[in-house]
Amino acid sequence: MSQYVMMSAATAIARPRLSAYLRAPVAPASTWAEDDWTGLCEAWNDGDVRRRYRAELAGAVRECDRWIGGDYAGLLRGLDGDGCLTAGFDEASGSLTLDFEARVDFRLPTLVWAFTALRGMTAFMAGDDGGLLTATVDWSDDRVLMHLAPKRSSFLDGSRDAEALSRARDAAFDVRCAAEDGEAGSATELIGRLLED
């Protein structure tokens, strides 16, 4: 029986910077140091899962890097080709939502890949740009959260980062509301329009 990772992104990023992100080559997972990935292991309530993921992390990053190629636009269009991507964008506010699911053959490498697909956006963010990524899985009730900001990203711990998480969730809600009023249509069409600059 197949398992899935569901990724949800709500970000604020101005169109020129979003277009530059879409055109850029996908940054490998190893762009970020292994320490920058440990939050992915710590998000699980089950201690055995946390220990297993810590032990598997370096290999999962290497495996993810083998899957990475092309640019972000191509990666996202590939997800839309599977009918797994929805997207919304409001140009006035720079509000972008992306939601996709990926079938899991290997749990941790797929989670690393899902975050890598969107984590690279931080290299193009500036000013007040930012966002929240949320990964949910169908084999656990746990969720993994990542905050995006210009030139940095970090996994959020629900208890340790409660204040930052509250702010990020409020901002994500505002982004989702604005994006619903923005451009409609297929995700592939939206990506095409964003690349027309």
Side-chain angles (χ1 to χ4, degrees), residues 117-191:
L118 299 170
R119 196 175 195 183
M121 197 180 302
T122 61
F124 301 91
M125 289 180 163
D128 292 332
D129 293 349
L132 181 66
L133 306 181
T134 306
T136 54
V137 298
D138 61 2
W139 64 85
S140 171
D141 291 332
D142 297 322
R143 61 184 49 213
V144 185
L145 304 164
M146 175 180 275
H147 181 252
L148 303 181
K151 310 296 185 267
R152 63 187 168 85
S153 56
S154 57
F155 289 98
L156 296 173
D157 179 285
S159 55
R160 187 188 67 231
D161 303 315
E163 187 176 327
L165 181 54
S166 177
R167 285 194 308 270
R169 283 185 170 149
D170 287 347
F173 177 80
D174 291 343
V175 163
R176 288 210 170 269
C177 290
E180 285 178 9
D181 295 332
E183 296 183 43
S186 80
T188 294
E189 290 170 354
L190 173 58
I191 291 167

Side-chain angles (χ1 to χ4, degrees), residues 14-180:
R15 181 176 178 155
R17 294 190 288 276
L18 176 57
S19 297
Y21 156 75
L22 291 169
R23 288 188 184 98
V26 179
S30 57
T31 299
W32 296 272
E34 190 174 325
D35 285 351
D36 289 336
W37 284 108
T38 56
L40 180 56
C41 305
E42 303 307 313
W44 311 92
N45 289 320
D46 185 319
D48 290 336
V49 171
R50 288 196 303 273
R51 285 186 288 279
R52 186 172 75 248
Y53 282 1
R54 280 185 219 122
E56 296 173 358
L57 183 59
V61 169
R62 284 192 303 273
E63 182 66 18
C64 175
D65 280 355
R66 292 183 340 110
W67 303 343
I68 296 294
D71 58 24
Y72 288 102
L75 185 152
L76 294 172
R77 284 175 167 153
L79 290 167
D80 194 32
D82 294 337
C84 299
L85 178 70
T86 59
F89 183 68
D90 174 61
E91 189 161 353
S93 62
S95 297
L96 172 72
T97 59
L98 292 168
D99 298 283
F100 66 83
E101 63 180 37
R103 190 172 64 84
V104 173
D105 292 317
F106 306 99
R107 287 181 178 179
L108 190 57
T110 302
L111 282 161
V112 171
W113 176 87
F115 279 101
T116 299
L118 299 170
R119 196 175 195 183
M121 197 180 302
T122 61
F124 301 91
M125 289 180 163
D128 292 332
D129 293 349
L132 181 66
L133 306 181
T134 306
T136 54
V137 298
D138 61 2
W139 64 85
S140 171
D141 291 332
D142 297 322
R143 61 184 49 213
V144 185
L145 304 164
M146 175 180 275
H147 181 252
L148 303 181
K151 310 296 185 267
R152 63 187 168 85
S153 56
S154 57
F155 289 98
L156 296 173
D157 179 285
S159 55
R160 187 188 67 231
D161 303 315
E163 187 176 327
L165 181 54
S166 177
R167 285 194 308 270
R169 283 185 170 149
D170 287 347
F173 177 80
D174 291 343
V175 163
R176 288 210 170 269
C177 290
E180 285 178 9

